[in-house]
Amino acid sequence: MTTLRFSTAGSVDDGKSTLIGRLLFDTKGAYEDQIEAVKKSKVNRSGREIDLSLLTDGLNAEREQGITIDVAYRFFATATRRFRIADTPGHEQYTRNMATGASTSDAAIILVDAIKGVSRQTLRHATISHLLGIEHLIFAINKMDAMAWSEDVFNAIKAKLTEQSSRWPGAKLHYLPVSALDGDNVAWRSEKVTWYNGPSLLDLLETLEVSPAAAPFRFPVQYVVRPGDGFRGFAGRIASGEVHPGDAIVVLPSGRRATVKEISTFDGPLAKAHEGQSVTLVLNEEVDISRGDLIALETARPELSRHFEADLVWMAEEPLEPDTPYLLRSATRELNARITRIEWALDPETGNHLKANSAHLNDILRVSIETTQPLAFDPYTRCRETGSLILVHHRTNRTIAAGMIVRGTQKTVRTTESLAFDLGPVTPGERVERYGHMPAVLTSKDPDLLERILFEHGALVLRWQGDIPKQLEDSGAIIIADHGLEVPTDNTLEFLEAAGILLRRNNFISGEGI
């Protein structure tokens, strides 16, 4: 039995919570004690025996104000399918919560009040849903009972939405006349609508076909597993695609290559693992991998760049100021970034692209982003997990924007005045952080082999004959010379790690990981 994840959206008082409450009530997806508690509630705005909106409006503030504030997740099932609902807020102030609920959905039910018609929030929520990669946009035109089930009213609203459909290219649009209060065309077809020949909302949800993403294998590393006895694996959740023992893989951003030796789980090894499974990959050779790295098939690599364009939903009270440094998180990767340019801001009512120098709460905009280190990513339309990001304020740790990567861009020529985010000269500590090792002078019986091992490890390594200039010693590099610490040809990396030269980034604090 498949699971359909869908969200609800729309303007305030369009009837989202009532619609979901009706679905839960009519499909027996609400527990009896929940229904009894709602019946006894002092809050009842429906004028009926039971206010079904209270089945999802769980916060006291929501019940008092009659609006949804937070995202409420509910589950129910029919004989043919399981469902997960994200009931999201309609008020413009809580658009960021709406985007959160829609980000993991396969379909979006967008409520339209038949009395008020299409609103600015209707178009905003449809646009955000489309940006988040939602394939099916279901426009449920609600409160049709208050309009005497007028076919003209329904057709006028449908025509206005159809006029706007060019801003949602590729989306599959559905239109239904419903009454969430009475249940008409929600869980069953209504006999009151003689002119409508389409399915009820539940019939549509049960038969909706969701196209599976054809993304290649992507595995963001969450944790390095080293319990002892020589075992070393890389744990995480497969974001997309599948992997088999024997597959050739590449680790990004380092570019190191290896082969999958084993797919390990708590229940034993697997012959294949696919999207959504949490597994531990064991490789056939020693490769330096840490949290934040991305493992992909060597034949199907993601993009790797410090420059890309993204669509953002601005979630902060304070406005955006280009060139301000932020912390960027994508999958398990975390690095410093800044917005170098606002390409345009979207007018949700007209769909026009407007010039903008800043952004404010709930704005939707296209931006160019630059990171301090290369980021491995896919366009959001190809893989949601490796194509999504959030921007976090350095000092407050608050999420200020959520984004969907559109494409990588060519690196532009930077002036010395703006180079490196105006952070000043590169420090020895930054070199250690970047290359993962302390500066050192080494020697070996097989210097070619030592250089190759360190180079594949990602070290900044140089060869030198004779006296070493002080400037070179201060560069932070590992220098292979005819004198220095002698390194054995066996277990080279382990020797250098024990000597404190290589800094393995595998030892995380307790609590990290899956």
Side-chain angles (χ1 to χ4, degrees):
M1 183 182 293
T2 60
T3 299
L4 180 73
R5 303 170 298 178
F6 67 91
S7 63
T8 61
S11 190
V12 175
D13 292 332
D14 282 352
K16 298 179 299 301
S17 296
T18 301
L19 180 78
I20 299 308
R22 172 60 67 181
L23 265 178
L24 294 173
F25 185 80
D26 289 346
T27 59
K28 303 189 184 306
Y31 294 113
E32 291 184 7
D33 59 338
Q34 290 177 308
I35 296 173
E36 287 301 317
V38 169
K39 285 181 178 180
K40 295 176 182 178
S41 174
K42 295 179 181 180
V43 179
N44 189 326
R45 298 175 300 274
S46 68
R48 308 297 172 90
E49 178 186 1
I50 180 173
D51 185 349
L52 294 176
S53 70
L54 301 184
L55 287 174
T56 55
D57 285 344
L59 300 177
N60 287 334
E62 293 177 327
R63 296 191 175 193
E64 291 168 1
Q65 299 179 52
I67 63 173
T68 300
I69 297 175
D70 202 1
V71 182
Y73 293 96
R74 297 292 183 268
F75 301 85
F76 73 99
T78 64
T80 58
R81 202 170 214 172
R82 292 186 296 265
F83 299 93
R84 192 218 66 181
I85 314 167
D87 182 26
T88 68
H91 197 284
E92 185 172 347
Q93 179 181 350
Y94 304 110
T95 300
R96 52 192 170 188
N97 300 42
M98 174 266 158
T100 300
S103 62
T104 57
S105 297
D106 305 307
I109 300 174
I110 301 169
L111 273 287
V112 183
D113 190 327
I115 302 172
K116 298 182 293 186
V118 177
S119 69
R120 181 182 177 88
Q121 277 298 83
T122 304
L123 300 176
R124 182 192 297 271
H125 287 176
T127 300
I128 292 175
S129 298
H130 178 258
L131 287 176
L132 289 167
I134 294 179
E135 183 179 6
H136 294 273
L137 302 181
I138 304 169
F139 293 99
I141 301 172
N142 191 28
K143 304 182 184 179
M144 286 296 296
D145 53 316
M147 305 303 291
W149 292 97
S150 168
E151 184 177 5
D152 291 339
V153 170
F154 175 81
N155 287 337
I157 293 174
K158 179 179 177 181
K160 186 167 184 179
L161 290 168
T162 303
E163 288 175 5
Q164 304 293 326
S165 61
S166 60
R167 69 169 73 181
W168 312 309
K172 297 175 182 177
L173 309 182
H174 311 266
Y175 305 93
L176 295 86
V178 302
S179 170
L181 195 62
D182 296 327
D184 294 291
N185 276 352
V186 179
W188 61 80
R189 281 285 308 275
S190 174
E191 297 178 356
K192 300 176 184 177
V193 200
T194 56
W195 45 267
Y196 175 72
N197 298 317
S200 69
L201 178 60
L202 183 60
D203 289 338
L204 177 62
L205 293 173
E206 285 185 320
T207 58
L208 212 58
E209 293 186 3
V210 179
S211 303
F217 175 65
R218 299 289 184 260
F219 186 76
V221 176
Q222 292 184 0
Y223 193 68
V224 180
V225 181
R226 301 185 71 181
D229 299 327
F231 182 91
R232 188 164 182 259
F234 309 100
R237 179 180 175 275
I238 299 176
S240 64
E242 61 182 36
V243 65
H244 311 76
D247 283 346
I249 60 94
V250 62
V251 182
L252 297 170
S254 70
R256 301 180 188 98
R257 297 180 295 274
T259 302
V260 178
K261 178 181 179 181
E262 180 183 313
I263 304 171
S264 178
T265 69
F266 180 79
D267 297 318
L270 300 178
K272 178 179 71 172
H274 55 77
E275 178 181 344
Q277 287 185 290
S278 293
V279 299
T280 298
L281 299 183
V282 181
L283 306 182
N284 69 335
E285 54 192 85
E286 193 78 7
V287 180
D288 182 29
I289 301 175
S290 60
R291 177 181 172 86
D293 287 343
L294 181 70
I295 297 177
L297 294 182
E298 187 176 4
T299 55
R301 299 186 180 205
E303 292 190 57
L304 183 66
S305 178
R306 292 177 48 238
H307 305 265
F308 51 88
E309 288 186 355
D311 291 327
L312 292 186
V313 179
W314 196 253
M315 297 180 168
E317 299 286 348
E318 64 266 25
L320 160 66
E321 296 180 5
D323 291 330
T324 299
Y326 296 111
L327 193 64
L328 184 148
R329 292 172 181 162
S330 179
T332 57
R333 183 95 160 127
E334 185 175 287
L335 38 75
N336 292 313
R338 66 173 191 155
I339 295 171
T340 58
R341 176 182 171 88
I342 300 176
E343 304 296 336
W344 45 258
L346 180 71
D347 184 337
E349 192 165 3
T350 64
N352 294 333
H353 295 171
L354 309 176
K355 291 184 178 180
N357 297 317
S358 185
H360 301 83
L361 180 65
N362 298 323
D363 280 352
I364 304 168
L365 53 153
R366 173 75 56 84
V367 300
S368 293
I369 295 178
E370 179 185 24
T371 58
T372 54
Q373 299 177 37
L375 176 69
F377 62 86
D378 294 281
Y380 185 83
T381 53
R382 191 183 194 197
C383 179
R384 284 190 177 185
E385 187 161 346
T386 56
S388 60
L389 62 90
I390 62 171
L391 296 179
V392 178
H393 196 283
H394 272 284
R395 291 190 300 274
T396 64
N397 204 37
R398 288 187 298 106
T399 299
I400 60 169
M404 293 71 67
I405 297 175
V406 178
R407 65 178 72 88
T409 57
Q410 293 293 324
K411 180 178 179 180
T412 56
V413 176
R414 299 285 303 282
T415 64
T416 55
E417 288 78 9
S418 62
L419 195 62
F421 298 177
D422 300 321
L423 293 181
V426 177
T427 66
E430 288 178 304
R431 290 192 179 94
V432 172
E433 174 65 24
R434 170 66 61 86
Y435 298 111
H437 62 74
M438 302 295 290
V441 179
L442 308 177
T443 186
S444 172
K445 295 178 180 178
D446 192 342
D448 290 339
L449 176 61
L450 177 58
E451 182 182 16
R452 171 55 62 184
I453 291 173
L454 289 171
F455 180 79
E456 292 293 335
H457 178 79
L460 176 61
V461 57
L462 302 172
R463 298 280 291 274
W464 193 264
Q465 289 183 341
D467 295 335
I468 302 172
K470 186 178 186 306
Q471 293 92 331
L472 190 58
E473 289 184 342
D474 294 340
S475 68
I478 293 178
I479 302 167
I480 301 176
D482 52 11
H483 64 280
L485 177 66
E486 185 168 352
V487 180
T489 55
D490 294 330
N491 300 319
T492 301
L493 296 179
E494 286 75 8
F495 174 85
L496 292 172
E497 183 181 9
I501 296 172
L502 290 186
L503 307 178
R504 299 280 189 160
R505 295 169 294 160
N506 302 333
N507 303 316
F508 296 101
I509 60 174
S510 176
E512 281 198 29
I514 298 175

